Amino acid sequence: MTRILREGDALVRNASVAATELIREAILDGRLEPGTRLKEEDLARELGISRTPVREALLMLLAEGLVVATPNRGAMVRVHDAEDLDDLYQLRALLEGHATRRAATRISEPEVEVLRESCERFDSLSPEEDLRELVRENLLFHNTILDVSGSARLAAMVRKVIELPLVYKSYIWYSPDQKRISVHYHRQIVNALAMRDAERAELVMKEHVFEARDLLVSHVRAHPLALEGS
């Protein structure tokens, strides 16, 4: 009996991990927008699992800051106001800038090529038609640099700032011209990394993050109702 219970516990843990990843991905790529209510019963039915692992998944996402619990409404995808976003992007610029500086002293030629290929894929995507792929490719680019930086602690701190709701919103609001600006920054970052120019790599990454912040914060201030929960 004890063994059966332990096996059952393991199955619940595995299901909760899988549910956490699926819900996190849905938040990051925009399928679950800021303010969306997360009902255990609905999520369990959609994922084909019981409510217990879904409840555990929501608790994990709550700890990560992607989800909040509100009185009388339960769990919902977290919403950030303009001031909160500005603060988050300030932190991101400092942390990711430092990570990029570290990466410049460690990057290999194959890793440079991975980043160049990411730039090409990113440039080929359309904000109107390939939004989710744009988000994924952008995260791949930035996460690759974090991996190259060689600090698991630093990478975890940066990812927590990057992988927050509304990051994908910047792509929803991107025009083709604004996407081209991001392509330009990505390529300049790769060029600096290829040259092992740590100072320039850090500088360009910070400029890239601040440009994204300015776009996002200005839009949130101009359209606050767009962030209200449904």
Side-chain angles (χ1 to χ4, degrees), residues 173 217-228:
W173 296 325
V217 170
S218 64
H219 190 101
V220 170
R221 285 177 174 154
H223 304 86
L225 293 179
L227 301 181
E228 291 187 353

Side-chain angles (χ1 to χ4, degrees), residues 200-211:
R200 176 160 178 74
E202 179 179 20
L203 176 63
V204 179
M205 178 59 81
K206 285 183 175 179
E207 290 180 352
H208 177 38
V209 172
F210 284 138
E211 192 275 337

Side-chain angles (χ1 to χ4, degrees), residues 1-196:
M1 178 66 71
T2 301
R3 181 180 178 183
I4 294 174
L5 290 175
R6 287 176 179 172
E7 290 177 348
D9 290 343
L11 289 173
V12 171
R13 283 196 297 273
N14 291 337
S16 67
V17 170
T20 301
E21 292 302 317
L22 289 170
I23 297 170
R24 181 190 292 113
E25 181 180 347
I27 292 173
L28 294 176
D29 70 17
R31 283 173 289 158
L32 292 174
E33 297 187 1
T36 300
R37 292 183 64 187
L38 301 173
K39 298 179 181 179
E40 291 179 11
E41 183 177 353
D42 293 345
L43 290 170
R45 182 170 56 253
E46 184 171 347
L47 296 174
I49 57 178
S50 69
R51 293 179 62 173
T52 298
V54 170
R55 186 178 303 115
E56 292 184 356
L58 292 178
L59 288 173
M60 293 176 68
L61 295 170
L62 181 67
E64 293 178 11
L66 288 170
V67 169
V68 294
T70 58
N72 304 320
R73 295 198 66 187
M76 61 183 289
V77 181
R78 186 171 182 176
V79 177
H80 295 282
D81 61 21
E83 287 67 31
D84 193 17
L85 287 169
D86 184 58
D87 186 44
L88 289 170
Y89 272 81
Q90 292 277 0
L91 290 171
R92 178 181 172 183
L94 289 171
L95 293 169
E96 197 168 8
H98 179 59
T100 308
R101 172 182 281 271
R102 285 176 57 94
T105 67
R106 294 167 169 78
I107 197 164
S108 66
E109 286 304 321
E111 289 166 336
V112 170
E113 186 59 28
V114 167
L115 291 172
R116 291 198 189 281
E117 291 173 356
S118 175
C119 289
E120 294 305 314
R121 289 193 298 269
F122 189 87
D123 191 21
S124 70
L125 296 170
S126 164
E128 294 84 5
E129 300 176 2
D130 309 302
L131 174 59
R132 292 174 184 170
E133 288 303 316
L134 265 175
V135 175
R136 293 191 185 100
E137 194 63 52
N138 183 64
L139 287 173
L140 184 148
F141 179 86
H142 287 271
N143 285 337
T144 298
I145 293 174
L146 292 178
D147 291 339
V148 174
S149 73
S151 171
R153 181 176 292 107
L154 177 60
M157 294 173 68
V158 176
R159 287 191 175 108
K160 188 170 184 180
V161 179
I162 292 177
E163 295 180 353
L164 285 169
L166 294 180
V167 172
Y168 65 87
K169 283 290 189 180
S170 63
Y171 290 95
I172 292 177
W173 296 325
Y174 262 22
S175 67
D177 285 343
Q178 289 163 334
K179 194 209 76 170
R180 280 194 288 271
I181 292 173
S182 280
V183 171
H184 170 76
Y185 276 116
H186 282 199
R187 287 179 170 155
Q188 290 301 309
I189 290 167
V190 175
N191 290 340
L193 291 171
M195 296 294 293
R196 278 63 176 180

